[in-house]
Amino acid sequence: MISAPPLLLVLGPEGHGVTRYGRDVADAVLARDAGARVVQVADVAAGDRVLAEVDAGARVHLHTTDRLFGATPEDAADVVERWARLSRLTLTLHDVPQPSDGTMFERRRTAYARMITAAERVAVNSRHEQQLMAEFLPGTAPAHAVALGTRTDVARVSSVGADRDLRVLIAGFVYPGKGHRPAVVAAARAAETLRSRGEDVGEVAVRAIGAPSRGHEDDVLRLRDEAARLGVAFEVTGFLDDAAFGRELVAPGIPLAAHEHVSASRSMLDWVEAGRRPLVVDSRYAAEMDELRPGTIARYTADELAPRLADAWLDPAFTRLAEGTSLAPTLEDVATSYLAWWASA
């Protein structure tokens, strides 16, 4: 007899990417197994109340990143250790520590090691993250990998057409390292190249589909000034609801995912679910996703971005997925994988 799945605890504010994905997975599990139980809490205090009421030894699963728990990585480790004493806790770790975290790397690495040690088992969202753990969290228990799932199994046709403007689209929050600055420089160079060939390029812009991360509002001002000096407009939509976000994804422009140090990326899936083929800076994770969903992304190296933008402007069809392109694995596939993993315990 296969045991029931664990209590699926979803932590965090509605708009947080990890919280939203945790809810998506929980709903997919619930659709597969009516015995599943999902509880969503906005903060740690509410999570404490839920965990205080579970039976001793009850199984609980949580999608988490350290930033959901408090101001510091140490806060996250403290909470996970406390919750692991109250339940048989399993974790899906997001944002696995890596050296690009800068001054926070050592603190995050120590905190994640504590969380992994406290949990009964852990999962991650890519083989790349498994390798990050082997490289930077040696001695911790190995993680199970379940790739991020899409909300649909086949790409829908995008009706994006040609546009005289050269507009680069980057989805998600604005923060250092996300790729907005390289996009501005590359857009200016691409426009210069196209105009030198006699092409009638209109406005040149980089459009951030989302809001600045908390504490990075000044980065937007600096990016806007730097872009203006290069003849590029830097546009920021601010926070959008789901419908408005979806409209932005299919608007004219060149989709770009330029974060070089990503550990796993929901924004890549946002693009492909909208029927778009984004340019994606090459990395170990990008190669893994290219293998997982062939034909859905176009990888480039850093020095190739400007010419790739120029090519995409000349041929907008390049930014659209072919009708019928498979986007599997889906959230339903992810739910099946998690149910099997939990049952294997």
Side-chain angles (χ1 to χ4, degrees):
M1 177 178 173
I2 297 176
S3 61
L7 166 67
L8 305 178
L9 182 62
V10 180
L11 169 68
E14 291 283 351
H16 195 286
V18 171
T19 302
R20 293 187 65 181
Y21 186 71
R23 184 72 207 206
D24 285 346
V25 173
D27 288 342
V29 170
L30 189 60
R32 292 295 308 274
D33 189 326
R37 181 182 171 213
V38 181
V39 177
Q40 184 160 352
V41 296
D43 54 32
V44 168
D48 281 333
R49 291 191 291 272
V50 171
L51 270 294
E53 295 177 359
V54 301
D55 295 335
R59 296 196 300 161
V60 176
H61 186 76
L62 176 69
H63 282 257
T64 189
T65 177
D66 56 306
R67 295 169 182 86
L68 286 178
F69 290 96
T72 70
E74 293 79 16
D75 291 337
D78 290 344
V79 174
V80 168
E81 288 173 343
R82 182 167 72 246
W83 288 359
R85 290 192 292 269
L86 298 171
S87 65
R88 292 174 57 196
L89 183 65
T90 56
L91 301 174
T92 297
L93 299 174
H94 295 252
D95 304 320
V96 174
Q98 52 187 311
S100 58
D101 294 335
T103 57
M104 292 298 292
F105 174 54
E106 291 298 336
R107 291 175 63 187
R108 296 191 72 238
R109 182 159 68 160
T110 299
Y112 271 66
R114 288 173 58 192
M115 290 191 284
I116 293 165
T117 299
E120 187 171 90
R121 291 194 298 171
V122 297
V124 290
N125 300 288
S126 63
R127 297 195 309 270
H128 166 58
E129 289 170 309
Q130 286 180 316
Q131 292 173 273
L132 287 177
M133 287 180 62
E135 291 164 355
F136 303 119
L137 292 165
T140 58
H144 181 64
V146 181
L148 296 174
T150 57
R151 299 183 182 96
T152 180
D153 60 344
V154 177
R156 68 175 186 263
V157 177
S158 172
S159 59
V160 178
D163 186 11
R164 178 171 167 268
D165 295 335
L166 195 163
R167 180 166 276 103
V168 180
L169 310 175
I170 301 179
F173 287 103
V174 181
Y175 55 84
K178 186 70 180 284
H180 297 91
R181 182 170 283 104
V184 165
V185 173
R189 291 175 178 169
E192 181 181 8
T193 297
L194 289 165
R195 287 167 177 154
S196 71
R197 298 174 186 170
E199 299 290 347
D200 183 18
V201 179
E203 182 185 21
V204 182
V206 171
R207 185 169 180 83
I209 305 172
S213 291
R214 185 175 57 186
H216 292 290
E217 293 79 6
D218 288 347
D219 291 331
V220 170
L221 301 177
R222 285 190 287 270
L223 279 167
R224 196 165 278 151
D225 288 344
E226 292 173 20
R229 288 194 290 271
L230 294 172
V232 177
F234 184 68
E235 305 166 350
V236 180
T237 66
F239 179 78
L240 301 172
D241 61 26
D242 289 347
F245 184 75
R247 288 192 295 271
E248 290 282 346
L249 295 180
V250 297
I254 303 166
L256 174 66
H259 191 341
E260 295 182 20
H261 304 292
V262 69
S263 58
S265 174
R266 173 67 225 178
S267 64
M268 286 187 198
L269 299 192
D270 290 331
W271 285 121
V272 302
E273 287 171 355
R276 306 300 301 271
R277 180 190 293 115
L279 287 167
V280 178
V281 65
D282 204 10
S283 66
R284 188 167 65 192
Y285 179 72
E288 181 179 342
M289 293 302 100
D290 204 4
E291 176 185 347
L292 186 68
R293 297 184 179 92
T296 58
I297 65 174
R299 290 151 59 194
Y300 70 90
T301 60
D303 58 352
E304 293 175 328
L305 181 54
R308 297 296 288 275
L309 292 177
D311 291 344
W313 182 84
L314 289 166
D315 181 14
F318 176 83
T319 73
R320 300 193 297 268
L321 294 181
E323 184 174 3
T325 299
S326 172
L327 301 186
T330 65
L331 283 167
E332 289 73 20
D333 299 320
V334 168
T336 299
S337 295
Y338 272 109
L339 286 166
W341 183 58
W342 293 319
S344 71

